[in-house]
Amino acid sequence: MTVRIEAVQGDITAEQVDAIVNAANSSLLGGGGVDGAIHRAAGPALLAECRRVRQEEYPDGLPTGRAVATGAGDLAARWVIHTVGPDRHRGQTDPALLASCFTESMRVAAALGASSAAFPAISAGVYGWDVEEVASTAVGAVRGLSDDGGAGSVELVRFVLFSPDALAAFEAQL
Ligand code: AR6
């Protein structure tokens, strides 16, 4: 099945989807930007789960380009999928690493049986990537996975963008 891909402007914490993807850092212990917003909206249960994931699965932190799921605390979603985008300020400029955030998050969503997932513009904030490059990488990665039949249960991917500029960049790819 082909994944339906949408782009909307809004706050991702308000999304009514099965899984919300978080642009986290490797500590999984919260931060600013969309990560901070998700932790604030989800409440302390999310941080507690992230601490457990660190202890049990990723004692050295989640590597860049990988993804891991937790419950979603007080959010309407069922799961939060945490991924770590490449940080341009630390010389991480390989688009394959950014594409991996999207495809790995999709694989985690499919393994959970999620039918819908919302993504932010991973790495387009604190991590310093141009939103146009994030948009083309993100849409290309999701389309590619879908065309290869790798999207499993995921029928809808919604990119939720904070600014009109980010929305325009994603719409240009759709
Ligand atoms: N809903 C949707 N998008 C949002 C929201 C929101 N509530 N809040 C911000 N954005 P960033 P990164 C947009 O910086 O570049 C954190 O401290 C924002 O406008 O959140 O991957 C982490 O802990 C931008 O377009 O993530 C890491 O340390 C996009 O989300 C680091 O920042 C991503 O911006 C990760 O940096």
Side-chain angles (χ1 to χ4, degrees):
M1 201 189 339
T2 308
V3 177
R4 186 155 59 95
I5 305 177
E6 303 174 346
V8 300
Q9 194 182 339
D11 175 355
I12 201 169
T13 65
E15 281 296 314
Q16 310 265 339
V17 287
D18 290 338
I20 288 178
V21 177
N22 182 19
N25 60 64
S26 121
S27 82
L28 297 180
L29 301 179
V34 71
D35 191 10
I38 287 173
H39 274 273
R40 274 192 301 280
L46 183 62
L47 184 57
E49 279 207 60
C50 287
R51 287 193 198 284
R52 187 180 49 72
V53 168
R54 277 296 304 278
Q55 263 167 14
E56 293 174 5
E57 292 177 63
Y58 293 102
D60 299 326
L62 183 67
T64 304
R66 300 276 294 278
V68 68
T70 62
D74 297 335
L75 294 171
R78 293 174 68 184
W79 300 286
V80 174
I81 297 172
H82 309 262
T83 188
V84 183
D87 182 355
R88 213 162 240 288
H89 305 302
R90 288 194 297 139
Q92 296 177 322
T93 56
D94 182 358
L97 264 183
L98 183 58
S100 172
C101 292
F102 292 93
T103 53
E104 289 302 304
S105 297
M106 288 288 290
R107 287 187 217 287
V108 169
L112 292 165
S115 62
S116 55
F119 284 82
I122 297 162
S123 288
V126 173
Y127 282 175
W129 284 61
D130 282 345
V131 74
E132 286 78 14
E133 190 165 11
V134 174
S136 66
T137 303
V139 173
V142 171
R143 272 206 189 120
L145 190 74
S146 172
D147 291 349
D148 293 345
S153 58
V154 182
E155 296 169 357
L156 170 68
V157 166
R158 182 179 294 142
F159 292 104
V160 182
L161 296 320
F162 223 32
S163 69
D165 286 358
L167 176 63
F170 275 75
E171 278 179 336
Q173 300 294 326
L174 298 177

mmCIF file of all heavy atoms in Angstrom, residues 10-13 23-25 30-35 37 85 120-128 131 160-162 166, ligand 1:
data_model
loop_
_atom_site.group_PDB
_atom_site.id
_atom_site.type_symbol
_atom_site.label_atom_id
_atom_site.label_comp_id
_atom_site.label_asym_id
_atom_site.label_seq_id
_atom_site.Cartn_x
_atom_site.Cartn_y
_atom_site.Cartn_z
ATOM 1 N N GLY A 10 1.365 23.554 12.361
ATOM 2 C CA GLY A 10 0.774 23.376 13.679
ATOM 3 C C GLY A 10 1.784 22.935 14.714
ATOM 4 O O GLY A 10 2.991 22.904 14.464
ATOM 5 N N ASP A 11 1.226 22.592 15.876
ATOM 6 C CA ASP A 11 2.002 22.110 17.016
ATOM 7 C C ASP A 11 1.848 20.593 17.065
ATOM 8 O O ASP A 11 0.740 20.086 17.234
ATOM 9 C CB ASP A 11 1.435 22.755 18.288
ATOM 10 C CG ASP A 11 2.087 22.240 19.553
ATOM 11 O OD1 ASP A 11 2.926 21.312 19.494
ATOM 12 O OD2 ASP A 11 1.737 22.766 20.631
ATOM 13 N N ILE A 12 2.941 19.889 16.908
ATOM 14 C CA ILE A 12 2.858 18.437 16.778
ATOM 15 C C ILE A 12 2.299 17.761 18.036
ATOM 16 O O ILE A 12 1.732 16.667 17.951
ATOM 17 C CB ILE A 12 4.244 17.849 16.389
ATOM 18 C CG1 ILE A 12 4.088 16.470 15.754
ATOM 19 C CG2 ILE A 12 5.188 17.808 17.581
ATOM 20 C CD1 ILE A 12 5.367 15.947 15.105
ATOM 21 N N THR A 13 2.411 18.441 19.182
ATOM 22 C CA THR A 13 1.931 17.805 20.424
ATOM 23 C C THR A 13 0.410 17.650 20.428
ATOM 24 O O THR A 13 -0.124 16.870 21.209
ATOM 25 C CB THR A 13 2.357 18.598 21.680
ATOM 26 O OG1 THR A 13 1.722 19.880 21.660
ATOM 27 C CG2 THR A 13 3.859 18.760 21.738
ATOM 28 N N ALA A 23 12.119 14.924 17.595
ATOM 29 C CA ALA A 23 13.493 15.267 17.205
ATOM 30 C C ALA A 23 14.300 15.425 18.485
ATOM 31 O O ALA A 23 14.472 16.519 19.009
ATOM 32 C CB ALA A 23 13.505 16.554 16.384
ATOM 33 N N ALA A 24 14.778 14.299 19.005
ATOM 34 C CA ALA A 24 15.429 14.257 20.308
ATOM 35 C C ALA A 24 16.933 14.485 20.168
ATOM 36 O O ALA A 24 17.444 14.778 19.081
ATOM 37 C CB ALA A 24 15.155 12.891 20.950
ATOM 38 N N ASN A 25 17.644 14.365 21.266
ATOM 39 C CA ASN A 25 19.103 14.258 21.227
ATOM 40 C C ASN A 25 19.469 12.898 21.812
ATOM 41 O O ASN A 25 18.608 12.197 22.350
ATOM 42 C CB ASN A 25 19.774 15.406 21.979
ATOM 43 C CG ASN A 25 19.373 15.434 23.439
ATOM 44 O OD1 ASN A 25 19.664 14.516 24.188
ATOM 45 N ND2 ASN A 25 18.661 16.483 23.840
ATOM 46 N N GLY A 30 15.384 14.841 27.084
ATOM 47 C CA GLY A 30 14.706 16.105 26.849
ATOM 48 C C GLY A 30 15.665 17.182 26.384
ATOM 49 O O GLY A 30 16.877 16.981 26.311
ATOM 50 N N GLY A 31 15.092 18.324 26.026
ATOM 51 C CA GLY A 31 15.895 19.428 25.510
ATOM 52 C C GLY A 31 14.976 20.577 25.164
ATOM 53 O O GLY A 31 13.897 20.709 25.740
ATOM 54 N N GLY A 32 15.367 21.389 24.193
ATOM 55 C CA GLY A 32 14.535 22.510 23.767
ATOM 56 C C GLY A 32 13.685 22.127 22.573
ATOM 57 O O GLY A 32 13.427 20.949 22.333
ATOM 58 N N GLY A 33 13.241 23.116 21.818
ATOM 59 C CA GLY A 33 12.528 22.884 20.564
ATOM 60 C C GLY A 33 11.351 21.934 20.709
ATOM 61 O O GLY A 33 10.626 21.943 21.704
ATOM 62 N N VAL A 34 11.168 21.118 19.694
ATOM 63 C CA VAL A 34 10.020 20.210 19.680
ATOM 64 C C VAL A 34 10.165 19.143 20.778
ATOM 65 O O VAL A 34 9.167 18.692 21.352
ATOM 66 C CB VAL A 34 9.831 19.614 18.261
ATOM 67 C CG1 VAL A 34 10.898 18.623 17.896
ATOM 68 C CG2 VAL A 34 8.451 19.022 18.102
ATOM 69 N N ASP A 35 11.377 18.780 21.097
ATOM 70 C CA ASP A 35 11.645 17.816 22.175
ATOM 71 C C ASP A 35 11.098 18.337 23.503
ATOM 72 O O ASP A 35 10.363 17.631 24.222
ATOM 73 C CB ASP A 35 13.171 17.619 22.241
ATOM 74 C CG ASP A 35 13.614 16.463 23.111
ATOM 75 O OD1 ASP A 35 12.762 15.671 23.545
ATOM 76 O OD2 ASP A 35 14.834 16.340 23.351
ATOM 77 N N ALA A 37 8.827 20.642 23.910
ATOM 78 C CA ALA A 37 7.366 20.764 23.816
ATOM 79 C C ALA A 37 6.692 19.413 24.034
ATOM 80 O O ALA A 37 5.672 19.308 24.728
ATOM 81 C CB ALA A 37 6.980 21.345 22.455
ATOM 82 N N GLY A 85 18.483 13.465 15.027
ATOM 83 C CA GLY A 85 18.926 13.998 13.749
ATOM 84 C C GLY A 85 20.404 14.357 13.767
ATOM 85 O O GLY A 85 21.001 14.534 14.830
ATOM 86 N N PRO A 120 8.034 15.962 12.841
ATOM 87 C CA PRO A 120 8.478 17.352 12.727
ATOM 88 C C PRO A 120 9.591 17.448 11.682
ATOM 89 O O PRO A 120 10.002 16.428 11.121
ATOM 90 C CB PRO A 120 9.034 17.644 14.124
ATOM 91 C CG PRO A 120 9.640 16.337 14.543
ATOM 92 C CD PRO A 120 8.790 15.245 13.897
ATOM 93 N N ALA A 121 10.053 18.672 11.450
ATOM 94 C CA ALA A 121 11.168 18.894 10.518
ATOM 95 C C ALA A 121 12.475 18.623 11.283
ATOM 96 O O ALA A 121 13.152 19.547 11.743
ATOM 97 C CB ALA A 121 11.128 20.311 9.974
ATOM 98 N N ILE A 122 12.796 17.336 11.400
ATOM 99 C CA ILE A 122 13.966 16.901 12.175
ATOM 100 C C ILE A 122 15.234 17.615 11.675
ATOM 101 O O ILE A 122 15.452 17.703 10.460
ATOM 102 C CB ILE A 122 14.127 15.367 12.045
ATOM 103 C CG1 ILE A 122 12.910 14.652 12.636
ATOM 104 C CG2 ILE A 122 15.415 14.886 12.717
ATOM 105 C CD1 ILE A 122 12.773 13.194 12.179
ATOM 106 N N SER A 123 16.010 18.120 12.597
ATOM 107 C CA SER A 123 17.299 18.797 12.349
ATOM 108 C C SER A 123 17.183 20.201 11.758
ATOM 109 O O SER A 123 18.202 20.843 11.511
ATOM 110 C CB SER A 123 18.240 17.961 11.460
ATOM 111 O OG SER A 123 18.745 16.843 12.161
ATOM 112 N N ALA A 124 15.952 20.680 11.548
ATOM 113 C CA ALA A 124 15.784 22.004 10.934
ATOM 114 C C ALA A 124 15.799 23.145 11.950
ATOM 115 O O ALA A 124 15.633 24.300 11.575
ATOM 116 C CB ALA A 124 14.484 22.052 10.128
ATOM 117 N N GLY A 125 15.993 22.825 13.236
ATOM 118 C CA GLY A 125 16.015 23.868 14.263
ATOM 119 C C GLY A 125 17.407 24.017 14.850
ATOM 120 O O GLY A 125 18.346 24.446 14.166
ATOM 121 N N VAL A 126 17.543 23.608 16.106
ATOM 122 C CA VAL A 126 18.819 23.697 16.822
ATOM 123 C C VAL A 126 19.958 23.034 16.028
ATOM 124 O O VAL A 126 21.093 23.512 16.050
ATOM 125 C CB VAL A 126 18.669 23.021 18.213
ATOM 126 C CG1 VAL A 126 20.021 22.935 18.921
ATOM 127 C CG2 VAL A 126 17.683 23.791 19.080
ATOM 128 N N TYR A 127 19.656 21.962 15.310
ATOM 129 C CA TYR A 127 20.702 21.210 14.610
ATOM 130 C C TYR A 127 21.095 21.810 13.257
ATOM 131 O O TYR A 127 21.967 21.280 12.566
ATOM 132 C CB TYR A 127 20.326 19.738 14.486
ATOM 133 C CG TYR A 127 20.531 18.948 15.776
ATOM 134 C CD1 TYR A 127 20.144 17.614 15.872
ATOM 135 C CD2 TYR A 127 21.119 19.524 16.901
ATOM 136 C CE1 TYR A 127 20.338 16.879 17.040
ATOM 137 C CE2 TYR A 127 21.308 18.802 18.081
ATOM 138 C CZ TYR A 127 20.909 17.481 18.141
ATOM 139 O OH TYR A 127 21.105 16.755 19.297
ATOM 140 N N GLY A 128 20.434 22.921 12.869
ATOM 141 C CA GLY A 128 21.011 23.806 11.865
ATOM 142 C C GLY A 128 20.888 23.447 10.387
ATOM 143 O O GLY A 128 21.563 24.049 9.560
ATOM 144 N N VAL A 131 15.697 24.051 5.997
ATOM 145 C CA VAL A 131 14.428 23.322 6.000
ATOM 146 C C VAL A 131 14.115 22.750 4.614
ATOM 147 O O VAL A 131 13.460 21.703 4.505
ATOM 148 C CB VAL A 131 13.291 24.199 6.576
ATOM 149 C CG1 VAL A 131 12.855 25.266 5.596
ATOM 150 C CG2 VAL A 131 12.131 23.340 7.032
ATOM 151 N N VAL A 160 4.265 17.878 10.395
ATOM 152 C CA VAL A 160 3.660 18.980 11.142
ATOM 153 C C VAL A 160 4.729 20.036 11.372
ATOM 154 O O VAL A 160 5.710 19.811 12.083
ATOM 155 C CB VAL A 160 3.068 18.482 12.476
ATOM 156 C CG1 VAL A 160 2.398 19.635 13.223
ATOM 157 C CG2 VAL A 160 2.060 17.365 12.216
ATOM 158 N N LEU A 161 4.529 21.163 10.691
ATOM 159 C CA LEU A 161 5.549 22.198 10.629
ATOM 160 C C LEU A 161 5.133 23.412 11.443
ATOM 161 O O LEU A 161 3.966 23.795 11.437
ATOM 162 C CB LEU A 161 5.790 22.601 9.170
ATOM 163 C CG LEU A 161 6.361 21.531 8.223
ATOM 164 C CD1 LEU A 161 7.430 20.688 8.920
ATOM 165 C CD2 LEU A 161 5.303 20.667 7.592
ATOM 166 N N PHE A 162 6.106 23.977 12.124
ATOM 167 C CA PHE A 162 5.828 25.071 13.053
ATOM 168 C C PHE A 162 5.602 26.392 12.318
ATOM 169 O O PHE A 162 4.783 27.197 12.747
ATOM 170 C CB PHE A 162 6.999 25.201 14.013
ATOM 171 C CG PHE A 162 6.585 25.427 15.434
ATOM 172 C CD1 PHE A 162 5.407 24.886 15.937
ATOM 173 C CD2 PHE A 162 7.381 26.161 16.298
ATOM 174 C CE1 PHE A 162 5.025 25.082 17.261
ATOM 175 C CE2 PHE A 162 7.008 26.365 17.618
ATOM 176 C CZ PHE A 162 5.830 25.824 18.099
ATOM 177 N N ALA A 166 8.441 26.646 6.749
ATOM 178 C CA ALA A 166 8.681 25.198 6.790
ATOM 179 C C ALA A 166 7.552 24.466 6.065
ATOM 180 O O ALA A 166 7.800 23.519 5.309
ATOM 181 C CB ALA A 166 8.810 24.725 8.240
HETATM 182 N N1 AR6 B 1 5.567 21.273 16.803
HETATM 183 C C1 AR6 B 1 6.102 21.126 15.561
HETATM 184 N N2 AR6 B 1 7.331 21.579 15.233
HETATM 185 C C2 AR6 B 1 8.023 22.211 16.195
HETATM 186 C C3 AR6 B 1 7.546 22.412 17.500
HETATM 187 C C4 AR6 B 1 6.242 21.909 17.797
HETATM 188 N N3 AR6 B 1 5.695 22.029 19.005
HETATM 189 N N4 AR6 B 1 8.502 23.075 18.226
HETATM 190 C C5 AR6 B 1 9.533 23.304 17.385
HETATM 191 N N5 AR6 B 1 9.254 22.797 16.161
HETATM 192 P P1 AR6 B 1 14.314 21.428 16.903
HETATM 193 P P2 AR6 B 1 16.491 19.713 15.876
HETATM 194 C C6 AR6 B 1 10.081 22.797 14.934
HETATM 195 O O1 AR6 B 1 15.283 22.468 17.311
HETATM 196 O O2 AR6 B 1 16.926 20.772 14.923
HETATM 197 C C7 AR6 B 1 16.413 19.899 21.071
HETATM 198 O O3 AR6 B 1 16.963 20.649 22.127
HETATM 199 C C8 AR6 B 1 11.173 23.795 14.804
HETATM 200 O O4 AR6 B 1 10.647 25.052 14.394
HETATM 201 O O5 AR6 B 1 13.211 21.093 17.835
HETATM 202 O O6 AR6 B 1 16.409 18.299 15.390
HETATM 203 C C9 AR6 B 1 16.753 18.421 21.164
HETATM 204 O O7 AR6 B 1 16.815 17.974 22.508
HETATM 205 C C10 AR6 B 1 12.044 23.154 13.716
HETATM 206 O O8 AR6 B 1 11.532 23.423 12.422
HETATM 207 O O9 AR6 B 1 15.071 20.002 16.563
HETATM 208 C C11 AR6 B 1 18.079 18.354 20.489
HETATM 209 O O10 AR6 B 1 19.128 18.703 21.381
HETATM 210 C C12 AR6 B 1 11.877 21.666 13.978
HETATM 211 O O11 AR6 B 1 10.755 21.548 14.885
HETATM 212 C C13 AR6 B 1 17.977 19.390 19.398
HETATM 213 O O12 AR6 B 1 17.017 20.338 19.863
HETATM 214 C C14 AR6 B 1 13.084 20.995 14.608
HETATM 215 O O13 AR6 B 1 13.711 21.887 15.501
HETATM 216 C C15 AR6 B 1 17.461 18.789 18.114
HETATM 217 O O14 AR6 B 1 17.494 19.783 17.105
#
